[in-house]
């Protein structure tokens, strides 16, 4: 791996970053270098990343994919990537894994404002609303009109004249959200096999390699788009959630965006491969699906789950055990308020409100992705101990999940 | 318990692994070889964890000396990653 050339300015910037307070922690599956620990192994407990490459104060967004990570730094919108690079998803111009954060050259002169990491592909939105993708393009998920992969970011020229705000990358598909546009605000491309593009009833056409407008949002103000696995979702400014793609808990796939019927007001949404976490304005967390959640390796537990569904309503039960729980409150939080949710493929994480600002995790734990020191599954949220290097009162926590791993950032609280 | 049921056409042929693969939630890949498919094996395992998936396919498509045949009919045609700078 070649050494990054550093200018004097960059060195000074790093020195400033070193003096600011903050910590980056990672745990879980690590055999592709995605944990940034410079070791190719799983970690069952949170690892403090001491490398100067991690400058928590300046990381404004972290996106974790199948086995790679994209960090957007606040300073000048620079982008760092590391982890699995075998499909070109790191954008480094090669197909190598990378054990340490390395800048994406193209974006050193082109400020980026939003990033997303899919299974093996990556998406970047520039300050001026342009979209770039790289990585695996086998299903058209890069949106370039073909099925080729790219190991450096390439602009999605089809969207050239449109002003893009966000990108969301799933397993084999991508969504983009346009800025204050009249007409369709959301476009999708890549695999549509399970309806995740929301654009086709025609099951014969399984993939789209150019962005397709998703209908049904013409008069709706969209706050955020989310993609993971074969799921897609959009959160509206007035707190409603639309989902499409693969059905949750074995229910049938949705080929068009479906409005979730609920009196709750949602403020944040995270998607896994079989579940969704919904945060409400009352700072409570609900889960959609999650049939496999924390139950992957033990069929015995699954039986128990079928007969004693998690607490909360609305809840739908049926003789058909494929449709167990529709929407349920996450158990055992005992009124603890939540400020952030994150979802890996089969695990979940949340941040509770400070004073007692804690990170809690639950779900599948085989690779240590829960950070609890073992490989056990957890049916309800457990507190992760990050160590008390920084006093909790002065910091704020953020948590991010990749497929089988988790990152946490503890940064100086902005008062 | 099988994590998922996946049709063979949704799996990708991986030249390096000489196996059909599908993403595993741990970050690695579920894998099954043509030889396994020929003898009727329907479980694709992940080398990194305890999970496995059930592969849905027609065994006849893989029977006999059908390397050429299977290449033509079963490999998703557009799923060979070709890297372009």
């Amino acid at each position: 791996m070649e050494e990054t050339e550093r200018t004097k300015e960059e060195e000074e910037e790093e020195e400033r970053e070193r003096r600011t307070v903050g910590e980056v922690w990672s745990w879980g599956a690590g055999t592709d270098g995605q944990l940034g620990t410079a070791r190719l192994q799983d970690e069952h407990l949170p690892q403090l990343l001491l490398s100067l490459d991690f400058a928590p104060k300046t990381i404004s967004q972290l996106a974790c994919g199948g086995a790679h990570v994209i960090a957007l730094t606040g300073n000048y919108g620079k982008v760092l990537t590391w982890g699995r690079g075998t499909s070109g998803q790191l954008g480094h111009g090669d197909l190598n894994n990378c054990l340490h954060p390395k800048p994406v050259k193209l974006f050193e002169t082109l400020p980026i404002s939003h990033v997303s990491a899919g299974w093996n592909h990556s998406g970047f939105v520039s300050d001026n609303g342009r979209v770039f993708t790289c990585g695996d393009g086998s299903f058209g998920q890069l949106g370039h009109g073909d099925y080729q992969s790219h190991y450096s970011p390439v602009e999605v020229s089809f969207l050239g004249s449109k002003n893009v705000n966000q990108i969301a990358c799933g397993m084999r598909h991508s969504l983009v959200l346009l800025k204050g546009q009249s007409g369709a605000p959301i476009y999708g491309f890549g695999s549509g096999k399970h309806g995740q593009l929301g654009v086709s009833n025609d099951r014969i056409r399984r993939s789209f390699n150019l962005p397709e407008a998703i209908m049904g949002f013409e008069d709706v103000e969209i706050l955020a788009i989310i993609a993971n696995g074969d799921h897609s979702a959009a959160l509206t400014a007035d707190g409603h959630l639309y989902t499409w793609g693969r059905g949750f808990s074995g229910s049938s796939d949705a080929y068009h965006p479906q409005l979730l019927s609920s009196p709750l007001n949602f403020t944040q949404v995270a998607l896994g491969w079989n579940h969704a976490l919904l945060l409400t304005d009352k700072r409570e967390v609900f889960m959609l699906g999650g049939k496999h959640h924390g139950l992957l390796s033990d069929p015995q537990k699954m039986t128990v789950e079928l007969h004693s569904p998690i607490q909360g309503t609305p809840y739908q039960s049926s003789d058909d055990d494929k449709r167990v729980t529709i929407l349920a409150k996450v158990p055992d939080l005992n009124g603890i308020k939540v400020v952030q949710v994150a979802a890996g493929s089969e695990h979940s994480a949340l941040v509770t409100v400070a004073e007692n600002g804690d990170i809690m995790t639950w779900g599948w734990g085989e690779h240590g992705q829960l950070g609890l020191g073992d490989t056990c599954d957890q049916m309800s949220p457990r507190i992760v101990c990050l160590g008390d290097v920084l006093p909790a009162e002065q910091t704020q926590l953020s948590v991010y999940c990749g497929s089988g791993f988790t990152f946490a950032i503890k940064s100086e609280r902005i008062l | 318990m099988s994590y998922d049921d996946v049709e063979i056409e949704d799996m990708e042929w991986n030249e390096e692994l000489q196996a059909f693969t599908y993403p595993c939630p741990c970050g690695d890949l579920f894998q099954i070889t043509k030889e396994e498919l020929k003898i009727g094996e329907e479980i694709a395992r992940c080398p990194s964890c305890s999970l496995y998936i059930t592969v849905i396919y027609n065994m006849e498509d893989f029977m006999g000396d059908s390397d050429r045949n299977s290449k033509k009919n079963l490999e998703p045609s557009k799923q060979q990653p070709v890297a372009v700078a």
Side-chain angles (χ1 to χ4, degrees), chain B residues 55-66:
Chain B
V55 182
I56 299 164
Y57 71 108
N58 285 322
M59 200 175 141
E60 298 85 61
D61 295 341
F62 292 87
M63 298 273 275
D65 187 24
S66 60

